[in-house]
Amino acid sequence: MSVGIVLIWIYRAVDIPKTREEGRLGWIGLLCAELWFGLYWVLTQSHRWNRIYRYTFKDRLSQRFENNLPGVDVFVCTADPTIEPPVMVINTVLSVMAYDYPPEKLSVYLSDDAGSDLTFFALLEASKFSKHWIPYCKKFNVEPRSPVAYLISEPDPLDANHAKELTLIKKLYKDMENRIESAAKLGRISEEVRLQHKGFSQWNSFSSRRDHDTFLEILIDGRDPDAKDVEGRALPTLVYLAREKRPQHHHNFKAGAMNALIRLSSNISNGQIILNVDCDMSSIYWNWLLSQKRYSVWKKVQVRKIGLNGKEITTRKTEESANELEERLKGLASCTYEYNTQWGKEMGLKYGCPVEDVITGLSIQCKGWKSVYFNPERKAFLGVAPTSLDQTLVQHKRWSEGDLQILLSKYSPAWYGLGKINPGHLMGYCTYCLWAPNSLPFLYYSIVPSLYLLNGISLFPQISSPWFLPFAYVIIAEFTCSLVEFLWSGGTVLGWWNDQRIWLYKRTSSYLFAFVDTILWLIGSSDSAFVITTKVADQDAYQRYKQEMMEFGTDSPMFTILASLAMLNLICFIGVVKKVVTDLGIAVHETLALQILLCGLLVAINFPLYQALFLRKDKGKLPNSVTAKSVFLGLFACTCFTFFY
């Protein structure tokens, strides 16, 4: 591959069309794009260096270290009860509470940045249901341990006793779900429910989602001897937090919530290991423990340097009750606590970047934290994937925008990590950071060769030329290696083909928008924002998702770009087919073979877009406004190039 790439560079450099010769500008543009592709390919090879496969043996771990297992603090973050429904959130919480792990060493924290009494009510209901669910999971070795995922799978009872308990669990879960859904329909928690729990009285101080006091409640206190399940065994600690919010103070999104949780957990449970999961994930495995072990160094050593009012953060006192602890710790989650401290700079997760986990990971690796890659055959977590392509593209836009901001900041791996972390990790970080700039050469390659093809101008070597071989080899080798690796990883041919579609769509929409937004951010014309990905999809959308139909359904500017590019390539391909049939005949195959192949491949990849533009009638199709704009823009671009070039 390296030899083939270098030969392509040589061909482009030595065979540039002369001044005023047809295709000169397009040729130079392709040279720049292929230089970028080659250098980017070199960076992506870093993960192939020194491959290591890790395996864990949890039976041996339990035998050797059962009494010395570290404490684990699990953080779950939610920010909007509308697009992150409380029922989904508590299923995540229940799944991690049911870990096959000593309950006295397991603590679960839910950060609710929406300050929603509905979410608190749902968690309160979950704390009651957990007294039945956790012993049921451990007794019958249930997997997955998310109640909704388990019950949807329609498990077969092992015996009559199992069937009886399964029926009870189904009833308890349905009753809990109905109570939460009824509260959600009302839009508020009824007065009767408020009277049942003292915690709801604290909501009197809440004026709005963005203006309220700290609400902290330890729903299950692992130290309380009365905190038992229905079989008399200890329950893990469960804590709810809605940190203080004021309009005049920036709350730093998820990174701010995580830092507040770090401070609180250090005083409540002080687990040596932090595990952060999204609120749409259900956990089914615990081999993550070994791969996260080093995280304890970051928490236990660094977090104690800066405490409340300049004092060291102290752990929970033996005689301190849950109520006393709650009152003492509320200040740790105040909106002014971090002022004049290093929180968000040197302490905890870093602020000011849409991908706070990436920049924090790079920073702590440079301080000596050693990470390992662990990918068990049996996946550790199940998550909710966005059913809408729009949400997928928006999410990738945020990631690539944040990565490019890191590249252009003082934490750029190009200089910040040099000499501090191993070269493979360094190149891996650089690869991620270059996602957004990757959009420009891909956009160029998906437009310019097709337009020149429409005019019959060749930008690639003829089939009879020896320079044709490097191009043919690199194309075939790249696609073959990609397919083999995809199949080797457990994928399918159809999955690989769809992956090529998403690969193209991201690079011509998400990364392009991220690149533009980052440039605007650099010149001070825009601010970075944290966009929450919706976790809700209607039943029809979910059915189309299961049938592997792409969900469009909106007039997103990203879809307008994708549809316009698809129309441009379709028009160019139809135009060259017409020439082959009526005018040029076999000569086109000789001189324009690679351009025809490239344009045809783009048309094939964009087939779902053509369906969404012209053929589909369901709600997942593209709106008529996008169809009209894309047809106009495609025709306009082709017409202008044909008449004015």
Side-chain angles (χ1 to χ4, degrees), residues 225-524:
D226 295 328
K228 305 287 186 183
D229 62 30
V230 292
E231 296 190 356
R233 289 178 291 201
L235 287 167
T237 295
L238 179 63
V239 180
Y240 174 90
L241 170 69
R243 58 194 172 118
E244 183 186 13
K245 293 281 190 69
R246 301 298 178 200
Q248 65 270 31
H249 299 293
H250 189 48
H251 58 79
N252 294 303
F253 308 108
K254 188 175 180 179
M258 287 283 289
N259 284 341
L261 288 174
I262 289 172
R263 295 192 292 271
L264 288 168
S265 65
S266 294
N267 284 265
I268 298 173
S269 52
N270 198 32
Q272 292 175 278
I273 294 173
I274 299 171
L275 173 67
N276 172 232
V277 296
D278 285 344
C279 64
D280 61 341
M281 300 176 73
S282 56
S283 308
I284 58 176
Y285 206 37
W286 65 298
N287 276 337
W288 52 266
L289 185 64
L290 295 183
S291 63
Q292 296 288 328
K293 189 73 177 284
R294 295 281 184 164
Y295 215 95
S296 61
V297 175
W298 175 52
K299 179 182 179 183
K300 291 203 71 176
V301 174
Q302 291 195 36
V303 80
R304 299 189 180 283
K305 291 182 180 177
I306 301 171
L308 188 60
N309 298 325
K311 299 178 181 178
E312 183 178 294
I313 294 177
T314 56
T315 54
R316 182 176 181 178
K317 301 171 185 176
T318 306
E319 69 281 1
E320 199 170 21
S321 68
N323 289 344
E324 291 171 337
L325 186 63
E326 291 166 1
E327 290 302 316
R328 180 169 68 85
L329 298 183
K330 284 183 180 179
L332 296 177
S334 73
C335 56
T336 58
Y337 172 77
E338 296 177 349
Y339 282 15
N340 301 317
T341 73
Q342 291 301 306
W343 283 100
K345 299 174 184 176
E346 297 299 325
M347 297 286 297
L349 274 76
K350 295 190 179 297
Y351 297 152
C353 181
V355 284
E356 68 286 330
D357 51 345
V358 176
I359 193 170
T360 303
L362 174 62
S363 174
I364 61 179
Q365 283 206 48
C366 291
K367 294 178 179 178
W369 183 53
K370 304 298 181 185
S371 63
V372 298
Y373 177 72
F374 180 59
N375 185 27
E377 290 185 12
R378 188 180 183 189
K379 300 305 177 188
F381 302 101
L382 299 175
V384 178
T387 56
S388 166
L389 180 61
D390 179 47
Q391 287 295 323
T392 301
L393 297 178
V394 167
Q395 193 171 54
H396 280 276
K397 173 188 175 294
R398 177 169 66 85
W399 291 342
S400 56
E401 182 180 349
D403 290 329
L404 184 55
Q405 287 183 16
I406 293 173
L407 183 68
L408 300 174
S409 73
K410 69 175 183 178
Y411 295 104
S412 173
W415 48 78
Y416 185 73
L418 200 61
K420 299 177 183 177
I421 59 178
N422 74 61
H425 284 174
L426 187 65
M427 293 181 72
Y429 273 111
C430 289
T431 303
Y432 285 123
C433 291
L434 291 172
W435 275 356
N438 223 2
S439 62
L440 299 181
F442 274 95
L443 195 64
Y444 188 88
Y445 235 87
S446 61
I447 295 176
V448 174
S450 296
L451 289 174
Y452 276 90
L453 175 65
L454 190 62
N455 277 15
I457 300 172
S458 176
L459 296 176
F460 294 91
Q462 298 183 9
I463 294 179
S464 58
S465 169
W467 290 110
F468 180 84
L469 295 177
F471 283 90
Y473 177 79
V474 167
I475 293 170
I476 294 171
E478 174 63 22
F479 276 96
T480 303
C481 287
S482 171
L483 175 59
V484 169
E485 287 184 342
F486 199 89
L487 296 176
W488 188 17
S489 301
T492 63
V493 174
L494 178 59
W496 172 80
W497 182 241
N498 285 331
D499 195 56
Q500 304 309 301
R501 289 191 169 113
I502 299 299
W503 178 81
L504 176 67
Y505 293 166
K506 288 187 300 186
R507 283 158 177 77
T508 52
S509 61
S510 301
Y511 297 171
L512 177 64
F513 276 70
F515 183 79
V516 172
D517 281 357
T518 304
I519 298 301
L520 294 175
W521 169 75
L522 279 174
I523 62 178

Side-chain angles (χ1 to χ4, degrees), residues 32-95:
C32 295
E34 286 158 358
L35 282 169
W36 175 268
F37 290 153
L39 294 172
Y40 190 79
W41 180 85
V42 171
L43 288 176
T44 60
Q45 302 313 300
S46 60
H47 69 275
R48 291 182 169 88
W49 303 350
N50 192 26
R51 285 187 178 181
I52 297 174
Y53 296 90
R54 292 182 171 86
Y55 302 91
T56 60
F57 304 89
K58 64 179 184 179
D59 54 332
R60 301 180 190 177
L61 183 69
S62 296
Q63 290 172 6
R64 295 178 184 177
F65 305 107
E66 184 69 40
N67 297 325
N68 298 310
L69 290 173
V72 178
D73 292 341
V74 184
F75 295 167
V76 182
C77 297
T78 184
D80 192 318
T82 304
I83 62 179
E84 296 174 338
V87 171
M88 179 189 70
V89 175
I90 64 167
N91 270 280
T92 299
V93 170
L94 287 165
S95 73

Side-chain angles (χ1 to χ4, degrees), residues 523-541:
I523 62 178
S525 296
S526 70
D527 295 323
S528 297
F530 187 92
V531 180
I532 305 172
T533 306
T534 182
K535 312 297 192 303
V536 182
D538 61 43
Q539 192 60 32
D540 290 341

